[in-house]
Amino acid sequence: SPFGLALLAALGGCVPYGAILVLTGRLTGAFAAGDLVREEPKLVELAAGIPPDRVVPSLHAVRALASSDVEAAIAAAEEARAARPRDAQLAAELARLLRRAGSRERARAAGAEALGVAIEGGENTLAVELYDELVPERDELGLAAEVLEKLGRVLFERARLADVTWCVRSLMAAGASGPRAQKLLIAVADALAVAGDVAGARSVYELLLREHPDTGFADYVRQKIDRLK
Protein backbone atom coordinates (compact mmCIF):
# COMPACT_ATOMS: atom_id res chain seq x y z
CA SER A 1 0.00 0.00 0.00
CA PRO A 2 1.16 3.62 -0.34
CA PHE A 3 1.36 3.88 3.45
CA GLY A 4 3.45 0.73 3.67
CA LEU A 5 5.85 2.02 1.03
CA ALA A 6 6.06 5.35 2.82
CA LEU A 7 6.99 3.61 6.07
CA LEU A 8 9.65 1.57 4.34
CA ALA A 9 11.05 4.73 2.82
CA ALA A 10 11.10 6.36 6.24
CA LEU A 11 13.20 3.52 7.58
CA GLY A 12 16.00 4.99 5.52
CA GLY A 13 17.19 1.86 3.82
CA CYS A 14 17.27 -0.32 6.96
CA VAL A 15 15.22 -3.03 5.24
CA PRO A 16 17.01 -5.14 2.57
CA TYR A 17 15.61 -4.75 -0.92
CA GLY A 18 14.65 -8.41 -1.13
CA ALA A 19 12.42 -8.04 1.94
CA ILE A 20 10.50 -5.03 0.68
CA LEU A 21 7.72 -7.00 -1.00
CA VAL A 22 7.30 -9.28 1.98
CA LEU A 23 7.22 -6.40 4.48
CA THR A 24 4.86 -4.39 2.31
CA GLY A 25 2.46 -7.31 2.18
CA ARG A 26 2.69 -7.78 5.93
CA LEU A 27 2.09 -4.09 6.52
CA THR A 28 -1.05 -4.21 4.44
CA GLY A 29 -2.34 -7.23 6.31
CA ALA A 30 -1.45 -5.80 9.70
CA PHE A 31 -3.26 -2.53 9.03
CA ALA A 32 -6.25 -4.41 7.72
CA ALA A 33 -6.35 -6.25 11.05
CA GLY A 34 -5.76 -3.00 12.95
CA ASP A 35 -2.87 -4.52 14.90
CA LEU A 36 0.47 -3.60 13.37
CA VAL A 37 2.41 -3.71 16.62
CA ARG A 38 1.36 -7.27 17.44
CA GLU A 39 1.70 -8.60 13.90
CA GLU A 40 5.01 -6.95 13.07
CA PRO A 41 6.75 -5.73 16.23
CA LYS A 42 10.10 -5.61 14.45
CA LEU A 43 8.82 -2.90 12.10
CA VAL A 44 8.34 -0.68 15.14
CA GLU A 45 11.85 -1.49 16.28
CA LEU A 46 13.20 -0.69 12.84
CA ALA A 47 11.40 2.64 12.82
CA ALA A 48 13.04 3.41 16.19
CA GLY A 49 16.47 2.68 14.76
CA ILE A 50 16.87 -0.72 16.43
CA PRO A 51 18.85 -3.15 14.24
CA PRO A 52 16.55 -5.80 12.72
CA ASP A 53 18.66 -8.68 14.04
CA ARG A 54 18.43 -7.56 17.67
CA VAL A 55 15.54 -8.65 19.84
CA VAL A 56 14.81 -6.22 22.67
CA PRO A 57 14.35 -8.20 25.92
CA SER A 58 10.91 -8.07 27.49
CA LEU A 59 10.28 -7.51 31.20
CA HIS A 60 9.29 -11.17 31.48
CA ALA A 61 12.54 -12.24 29.83
CA VAL A 62 14.58 -10.04 32.16
CA ARG A 63 12.90 -11.51 35.23
CA ALA A 64 13.36 -15.06 33.95
CA LEU A 65 17.05 -14.42 33.33
CA ALA A 66 17.48 -12.92 36.81
CA SER A 67 16.60 -16.24 38.40
CA SER A 68 19.89 -17.70 37.19
CA ASP A 69 22.17 -14.81 36.21
CA VAL A 70 21.65 -11.39 37.78
CA GLU A 71 24.45 -9.67 35.87
CA ALA A 72 23.09 -10.91 32.55
CA ALA A 73 19.63 -9.77 33.61
CA ILE A 74 21.01 -6.31 34.39
CA ALA A 75 22.60 -6.11 30.94
CA ALA A 76 19.33 -7.20 29.34
CA ALA A 77 17.34 -4.68 31.41
CA GLU A 78 19.69 -1.86 30.43
CA GLU A 79 19.32 -2.76 26.78
CA ALA A 80 15.54 -2.86 27.13
CA ARG A 81 15.54 0.47 29.01
CA ALA A 82 17.43 2.12 26.16
CA ALA A 83 14.73 0.95 23.75
CA ARG A 84 11.78 1.70 26.04
CA PRO A 85 12.79 4.64 28.27
CA ARG A 86 9.22 5.36 29.41
CA ASP A 87 8.53 1.85 30.65
CA ALA A 88 8.27 2.41 34.41
CA GLN A 89 8.00 -1.29 35.28
CA LEU A 90 11.18 -2.01 33.38
CA ALA A 91 12.95 0.94 35.00
CA ALA A 92 11.94 -0.32 38.44
CA GLU A 93 13.13 -3.83 37.61
CA LEU A 94 16.56 -2.53 36.62
CA ALA A 95 16.87 -0.56 39.87
CA ARG A 96 15.91 -3.61 41.92
CA LEU A 97 18.32 -5.85 40.05
CA LEU A 98 21.16 -3.42 40.65
CA ARG A 99 20.35 -3.34 44.35
CA ARG A 100 20.22 -7.13 44.41
CA ALA A 101 23.66 -7.20 42.80
CA GLY A 102 25.03 -4.89 45.48
CA SER A 103 25.59 -1.90 43.18
CA ARG A 104 24.31 0.62 45.68
CA GLU A 105 25.10 3.88 43.89
CA ARG A 106 23.88 2.64 40.53
CA ALA A 107 20.77 1.21 42.18
CA ARG A 108 20.04 4.55 43.86
CA ALA A 109 20.41 6.46 40.61
CA ALA A 110 18.30 3.93 38.70
CA GLY A 111 15.70 3.97 41.46
CA ALA A 112 15.40 7.75 41.35
CA GLU A 113 15.06 7.58 37.57
CA ALA A 114 12.43 4.85 37.81
CA LEU A 115 10.46 6.84 40.39
CA GLY A 116 10.46 9.82 38.04
CA VAL A 117 9.32 7.72 35.09
CA ALA A 118 6.54 6.18 37.20
CA ILE A 119 5.24 9.45 38.63
CA GLU A 120 5.38 11.23 35.26
CA GLY A 121 3.57 8.31 33.64
CA GLY A 122 0.79 8.29 36.24
CA GLU A 123 1.84 4.92 37.71
CA ASN A 124 1.36 6.22 41.23
CA THR A 125 1.25 2.91 43.06
CA LEU A 126 4.60 1.91 41.60
CA ALA A 127 6.00 5.37 42.37
CA VAL A 128 5.05 5.02 46.04
CA GLU A 129 6.54 1.51 46.16
CA LEU A 130 9.81 2.84 44.77
CA TYR A 131 9.78 5.77 47.17
CA ASP A 132 9.32 3.40 50.12
CA GLU A 133 12.25 1.29 48.91
CA LEU A 134 14.39 4.42 48.65
CA VAL A 135 13.40 6.13 51.91
CA PRO A 136 16.73 5.36 53.65
CA GLU A 137 18.53 7.17 50.84
CA ARG A 138 15.90 9.71 49.87
CA ASP A 139 18.04 12.74 50.73
CA GLU A 140 20.60 11.58 48.17
CA LEU A 141 18.19 10.97 45.29
CA GLY A 142 18.31 14.42 43.74
CA LEU A 143 14.73 14.20 42.50
CA ALA A 144 13.58 16.90 40.10
CA ALA A 145 11.23 19.56 41.45
CA GLU A 146 8.38 18.36 39.22
CA VAL A 147 8.78 14.83 40.54
CA LEU A 148 8.90 15.98 44.16
CA GLU A 149 5.75 18.04 43.79
CA LYS A 150 3.79 15.28 42.06
CA LEU A 151 5.05 12.70 44.52
CA GLY A 152 4.01 14.94 47.39
CA ARG A 153 0.47 15.14 46.03
CA VAL A 154 0.28 11.38 45.56
CA LEU A 155 1.52 10.83 49.10
CA PHE A 156 -0.98 13.37 50.42
CA GLU A 157 -3.81 11.38 48.84
CA ARG A 158 -2.55 8.44 50.88
CA ALA A 159 -2.41 10.50 54.10
CA ARG A 160 1.37 10.16 54.24
CA LEU A 161 1.74 13.59 55.81
CA ALA A 162 5.29 13.23 57.13
CA ASP A 163 6.47 12.12 53.69
CA VAL A 164 4.63 14.99 52.03
CA THR A 165 6.40 17.39 54.37
CA TRP A 166 9.72 15.85 53.35
CA CYS A 167 8.84 16.45 49.68
CA VAL A 168 8.08 20.11 50.33
CA ARG A 169 11.16 20.56 52.51
CA SER A 170 13.22 19.16 49.65
CA LEU A 171 11.59 21.63 47.27
CA MET A 172 12.42 24.44 49.69
CA ALA A 173 16.04 23.30 49.90
CA ALA A 174 16.21 23.41 46.11
CA GLY A 175 14.61 26.86 46.00
CA ALA A 176 11.67 25.45 44.07
CA SER A 177 8.81 25.72 46.56
CA GLY A 178 6.41 27.89 44.59
CA PRO A 179 2.74 28.58 45.39
CA ARG A 180 1.57 25.04 44.58
CA ALA A 181 4.14 23.49 46.90
CA GLN A 182 3.23 26.01 49.60
CA LYS A 183 -0.45 25.11 49.27
CA LEU A 184 0.49 21.46 49.60
CA LEU A 185 2.33 22.21 52.84
CA ILE A 186 -0.67 24.15 54.14
CA ALA A 187 -2.87 21.17 53.31
CA VAL A 188 -0.59 18.99 55.43
CA ALA A 189 -0.82 21.42 58.35
CA ASP A 190 -4.60 21.67 57.99
CA ALA A 191 -4.89 17.87 57.99
CA LEU A 192 -2.75 17.64 61.11
CA ALA A 193 -4.90 20.24 62.83
CA VAL A 194 -8.10 18.37 61.95
CA ALA A 195 -6.53 15.17 63.29
CA GLY A 196 -5.86 16.94 66.60
CA ASP A 197 -2.08 17.09 66.20
CA VAL A 198 -1.76 20.71 67.31
CA ALA A 199 2.01 20.62 67.76
CA GLY A 200 2.52 19.05 64.34
CA ALA A 201 0.22 21.52 62.62
CA ARG A 202 1.91 24.47 64.28
CA SER A 203 5.33 23.16 63.27
CA VAL A 204 4.34 22.91 59.62
CA TYR A 205 2.59 26.30 59.52
CA GLU A 206 5.63 27.93 61.11
CA LEU A 207 7.92 26.14 58.67
CA LEU A 208 6.11 27.82 55.80
CA LEU A 209 6.30 31.28 57.39
CA ARG A 210 9.94 30.79 58.25
CA GLU A 211 10.92 29.73 54.76
CA HIS A 212 8.54 32.06 52.92
CA PRO A 213 7.81 35.08 55.17
CA ASP A 214 6.37 37.00 52.21
CA THR A 215 4.14 34.22 50.98
CA GLY A 216 0.72 35.21 49.71
CA PHE A 217 -0.73 32.73 52.18
CA ALA A 218 0.82 34.44 55.23
CA ASP A 219 -2.43 35.92 56.58
CA TYR A 220 -4.26 32.61 56.23
CA VAL A 221 -1.44 30.72 57.97
CA ARG A 222 -1.23 33.21 60.86
CA GLN A 223 -4.99 32.94 61.38
CA LYS A 224 -4.65 29.18 61.47
CA ILE A 225 -1.86 29.41 64.03
CA ASP A 226 -3.95 31.74 66.22
CA ARG A 227 -6.80 29.25 66.19
CA LEU A 228 -4.49 26.54 67.47
CA LYS A 229 -3.88 28.43 70.70
Side-chain angles (χ1 to χ4, degrees):
S1 68
F3 184 88
L5 292 174
L7 177 58
L8 291 172
L11 296 179
C14 291
V15 181
Y17 177 80
I20 290 179
L21 292 178
V22 174
L23 288 173
T24 303
R26 288 181 178 177
L27 272 172
T28 303
F31 272 105
D35 199 2
L36 172 63
V37 173
R38 188 178 66 193
E39 294 296 330
E40 289 296 345
K42 284 204 170 185
L43 289 177
V44 179
E45 295 172 9
L46 284 168
I50 301 171
D53 58 346
R54 194 182 86 197
V55 177
V56 178
S58 66
L59 178 60
H60 177 75
V62 169
R63 287 175 173 168
L65 188 57
S67 65
S68 59
D69 190 336
V70 175
E71 292 299 332
I74 289 171
E78 289 176 331
E79 181 180 7
R81 280 280 294 130
R84 298 191 291 276
R86 296 182 183 177
D87 188 327
Q89 294 288 342
L90 190 56
E93 189 69 19
L94 174 59
R96 289 163 177 163
L97 286 170
L98 287 167
R99 189 167 300 280
R100 179 176 161 187
S103 301
R104 182 178 175 182
E105 291 187 6
R106 291 177 64 197
R108 183 172 60 240
E113 184 177 349
L115 198 163
V117 172
I119 205 74
E120 292 293 347
E123 296 189 46
N124 296 340
T125 298
L126 177 59
V128 173
E129 288 176 2
L130 288 165
Y131 169 77
D132 287 340
E133 293 170 14
L134 294 164
V135 162
E137 304 171 281
R138 64 184 183 181
D139 291 330
E140 304 171 63
L141 295 179
L143 296 175
E146 297 82 359
V147 173
L148 282 167
E149 186 175 316
K150 290 180 180 179
L151 177 62
R153 295 184 181 282
V154 169
L155 291 168
F156 183 78
E157 292 172 357
R158 288 161 170 74
R160 301 272 297 271
L161 302 184
D163 293 307
V164 178
T165 302
W166 173 82
C167 289
V168 180
R169 282 182 179 274
S170 298
L171 285 166
M172 289 177 172
S177 52
R180 291 199 302 179
Q182 294 171 35
K183 288 175 68 176
L184 183 57
L185 194 60
I186 291 170
V188 170
D190 288 349
L192 289 170
V194 169
D197 186 351
V198 174
R202 184 189 305 280
S203 175
V204 176
Y205 285 134
E206 290 177 347
L207 169 64
L208 178 58
L209 291 178
R210 185 167 60 253
E211 295 294 328
H212 293 281
D214 298 325
T215 177
F217 306 113
D219 289 342
Y220 173 85
V221 171
R222 292 191 181 98
Q223 289 174 10
K224 286 288 188 176
I225 292 174
D226 289 341
R227 292 173 187 172
L228 292 175
K229 295 178 180 179

